[in-house]
Amino acid sequence: MLTLLPSLLPSIAAATLYAAATVHQGRCLYKRSVPDKRLLALFGVLALLAHGTALLTQLLGHVGLSLDFFNSASLIAFAVITITLVACLSIPVENLLVLLFPLGIVTTLLAQFMPSGTLQPIDEEPGILAHILLSLLAYGLFTIAAVQALLLLVQNHQLKNKHPLVLIKNFPPLQTMESLLFGFIWAGWGLLTLSLISGWLFLENLLAQHLAHKTLLGCLAWIVFAVLLWGRNRLGWRGHKAIRWTLAGFCLLMLAYFGSKLVREYILHI
């Protein structure tokens, strides 16, 4: 069954505004000019308002919270773009938006037009809802960190070959990019820690059949990021080693959340 019709117009509006922001930023980067930050912020905020309006209908359209696969992806994209826009007020991360706005387009339209999975709406106590919110915010921050790591990998490769792309030429220096990366990782790791603690406190059985793999993969991701942060502080890890550990932890988290949801809702239908 398709998502409720009241979310149709805001979903299309959000996708259109994200697209307009992407085109504006892409043209400026291609011309090697600086995008108008005010215009970029205006497009982004308006898109988020429309995106949030659509999400409210999609998430609360039934009794309880409807967090199926595509709604969850849309919610995480909303959180990621919001965090990045807020971060732009104090740190130079606006170039990340040229990749995140298209993510907003795709997830908004998929949440609107793809059929829902078999997951039943969530009608739980505040503690469990807090656990879910902490998990989604942690995934959001680690998504930004993963995008940042990929851009850092491309930037490092291009600078070594002395043929940087137009997009890369507009990025901050490598040292600044790495500092931003670890800032996102520290914040994401803190939220992931709170998410795991809240899970142990409020969920009856974290090792139940439908939660065991998610718990195990989430704990493994926590360990990977903990080792990465230790290596950064104690051993000065940076460059390719830091990028590999970041992407490894991110993949574990995505398998924990989206992998399990995809299998359960669209393959096993449970």
Side-chain angles (χ1 to χ4, degrees):
M1 183 176 179
L2 291 180
T3 308
L4 297 177
L5 287 178
S7 63
L8 178 61
L9 287 179
S11 293
I12 293 175
T16 302
L17 288 162
Y18 283 138
T22 303
V23 170
H24 168 67
Q25 192 173 20
R27 288 181 62 185
C28 290
L29 291 173
Y30 180 77
K31 294 178 179 178
R32 302 186 182 182
S33 60
V34 178
D36 186 334
K37 290 186 178 182
R38 292 182 180 179
L39 184 59
L40 200 62
L42 178 62
F43 279 135
V45 170
L46 291 176
L48 285 174
L49 288 174
H51 192 168
T53 301
L55 272 173
L56 282 175
T57 302
Q58 292 159 349
L59 295 174
L60 304 177
H62 306 276
V63 177
L65 191 63
S66 181
L67 275 176
D68 62 29
F69 181 84
F70 294 109
N71 283 352
S72 298
S74 182
L75 179 59
I76 289 177
F78 177 86
V80 169
I81 295 169
T82 301
I83 292 168
T84 306
L85 279 175
V86 172
C88 286
L89 296 174
S90 56
I91 53 178
V93 292
E94 56 271 4
N95 283 324
L96 293 178
L97 293 170
V98 77
L99 298 179
L100 296 180
F101 282 148
L103 178 66
I105 298 171
V106 172
T107 56
T108 300
L109 294 178
L110 287 177
Q112 177 62 43
F113 294 110
M114 290 297 289
S116 301
T118 58
L119 184 69
Q120 294 298 315
I122 301 169
D123 186 15
E124 300 287 358
E125 62 185 37
I128 295 178
L129 295 178
H131 164 71
I132 294 170
L133 179 61
L134 286 168
S135 300
L136 290 173
L137 289 175
Y139 294 144
L141 281 168
F142 282 125
T143 299
I144 300 174
V147 172
Q148 182 87 349
L150 290 172
L151 292 175
L152 191 59
L153 182 65
V154 174
Q155 184 180 20
N156 195 24
H157 176 74
Q158 292 291 318
L159 291 177
K160 283 184 177 179
N161 291 335
K162 298 181 180 179
H163 293 292
L165 299 172
V166 173
L167 177 63
I168 299 301
K169 289 180 179 179
N170 288 274
F171 282 178
L174 278 173
Q175 186 175 358
T176 303
M177 291 283 284
E178 281 195 349
S179 297
L180 293 174
L181 170 64
F182 279 94
F184 288 130
I185 291 173
W186 269 113
W189 186 73
L191 285 172
L192 181 59
T193 302
L194 293 175
S195 170
L196 292 173
I197 292 173
S198 64
W200 284 106
L201 290 175
F202 297 113
L203 293 176
E204 292 183 3
N205 185 8
L206 270 177
L207 298 178
Q209 183 178 1
H210 67 290
L211 291 175
H213 56 287
K214 186 179 293 186
T215 303
L216 176 61
L217 290 170
C219 289
L220 287 175
W222 185 92
I223 293 171
V224 167
F225 286 116
V227 171
L228 171 59
L229 292 171
W230 175 84
R232 171 71 170 183
N233 289 335
R234 296 291 184 177
L235 305 176
W237 287 0
R238 55 180 304 175
H240 284 81
K241 180 172 286 189
I243 292 169
R244 285 195 296 268
W245 280 83
T246 300
L247 295 178
F250 176 73
C251 288
L252 286 171
L253 277 182
M254 290 302 100
L255 283 174
Y257 191 71
F258 286 112
S260 62
K261 289 183 76 66
L262 182 64
V263 171
R264 289 181 59 206
E265 294 178 34
Y266 292 93
I267 297 178
L268 298 180
H269 301 289
I270 59 175

